[in-house]
């Protein structure tokens, strides 16, 4: 409770935690439902779907995590706001590519387009954890990180996959097998701008909330 009171008094903690939570809603939701989407919309079997999305996830995911950490540390030396602005910009970049990737019919184009949101969707991970570590006093970093991860996973994992599925079910009567495509697009239209907005908002206080 002492740690929660200490870090909870800093707006940056809540904005980054909620931004990470909505980012996790996207990553968990897409990770859970893209296999079904690829199989339904493009006729791949389980094995081919796994190879297809596995390659996208490994290639884009590794690139995004490394890129996010490097850019945040590089630009953050001069301006702490880079730690939140870079994830925000990454989500704005990934947004149109995700929409295009679930809309086009050509599998090679789907692969190429999905690589971008896959990479941009993980840029936030390194900078966000670094922020939580640096806005908490050294003696409270472990518990602050645990509180942060509780928020992120409770919303991201607990709600994210469910929202995509509920929305798809509600659209099935109107769109049939295409319902999942529109569910993904609707969630993207809401979550990408919201996540970017939360990170941009954190830029207003991060320099003040940063320890040392």
């Amino acid at each position: 409770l002492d740690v929660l009171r200490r870090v909870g008094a800093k707006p940056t903690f809540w904005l980054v935690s909620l931004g990470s939570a909505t980012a996790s809603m996207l990553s968990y939701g897409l990770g859970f439902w893209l296999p079904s989407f690829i199989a339904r919309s493009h006729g791949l079997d389980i094995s081919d779907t796994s190879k297809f999305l596995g390659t996208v996830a490994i290639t884009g995911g590794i690139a995004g995590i490394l890129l996010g950490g490097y850019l945040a540390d590089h630009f953050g030396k001069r301006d702490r706001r880079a730690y939140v602005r870079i994830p925000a910009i990454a989500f704005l970049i990934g947004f149109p590519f995700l929409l295009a990737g679930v809309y086009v019919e050509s599998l090679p184009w789907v692969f190429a387009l999905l690589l971008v949101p896959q990479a941009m969707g993980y840029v936030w991970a390194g900078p966000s954890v670094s922020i939580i570590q640096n806005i908490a006093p050294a003696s409270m970093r472990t518990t602050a990180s645990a509180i942060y991860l509780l928020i992120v996973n409770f919303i991201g994992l607990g709600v994210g996959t469910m929202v995509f599925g509920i929305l798809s079910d509600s659209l099935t009567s109107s769109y049939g097998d295409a319902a999942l495509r529109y569910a993904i697009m609707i969630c993207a239209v809401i979550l990408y701008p919201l996540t970017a907005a939360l990170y941009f908002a954190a830029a207003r206080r991060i320099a003040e909330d940063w320890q040392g």
Side-chain angles (χ1 to χ4, degrees), residues 53-180:
L53 289 175
T55 305
V56 172
I58 291 172
T59 306
I62 291 174
I65 289 174
L66 294 176
L67 182 66
Y70 171 77
L71 291 176
D73 284 341
H74 178 73
F75 292 103
K77 292 176 183 178
R78 296 192 298 270
D79 188 347
R80 299 297 189 198
R81 292 174 293 181
Y83 280 88
V84 287
R85 285 177 173 171
I86 286 170
I89 293 169
F91 279 105
L92 295 180
I93 293 171
F95 178 33
F97 285 90
L98 188 280
L99 294 179
V102 297
Y103 184 77
V104 299
E105 298 294 338
S106 168
L107 268 178
W109 272 109
V110 173
F111 182 87
L113 289 167
L114 289 183
L115 279 175
V116 178
Q118 182 68 33
M120 295 298 100
Y122 282 96
V123 165
W124 64 274
S128 297
V129 173
S130 181
I131 291 166
I132 300 303
Q133 292 289 293
N134 282 285
I135 64 173
S139 61
M140 296 182 173
R141 286 175 178 171
T142 303
T143 304
S145 296
I147 296 169
Y148 162 77
L149 290 172
L150 176 64
I151 296 169
V152 170
N153 286 297
F154 183 80
I155 297 174
L157 182 58
V159 179
T161 55
M162 183 174 63
V163 168
F164 280 74
I166 291 173
L167 188 55
S168 177
D169 286 344
S170 69
L171 296 172
T172 299
S173 60
S174 299
Y175 298 101
D177 287 342
L180 186 52

Side-chain angles (χ1 to χ4, degrees), residues 15-25 124 128 148 152 156 195 198-199:
L15 290 167
V16 171
S17 294
L18 292 175
S20 298
T22 53
S24 292
M25 287 181 68
W124 64 274
S128 297
Y148 162 77
V152 170
T195 303
L198 288 166
Y199 276 101

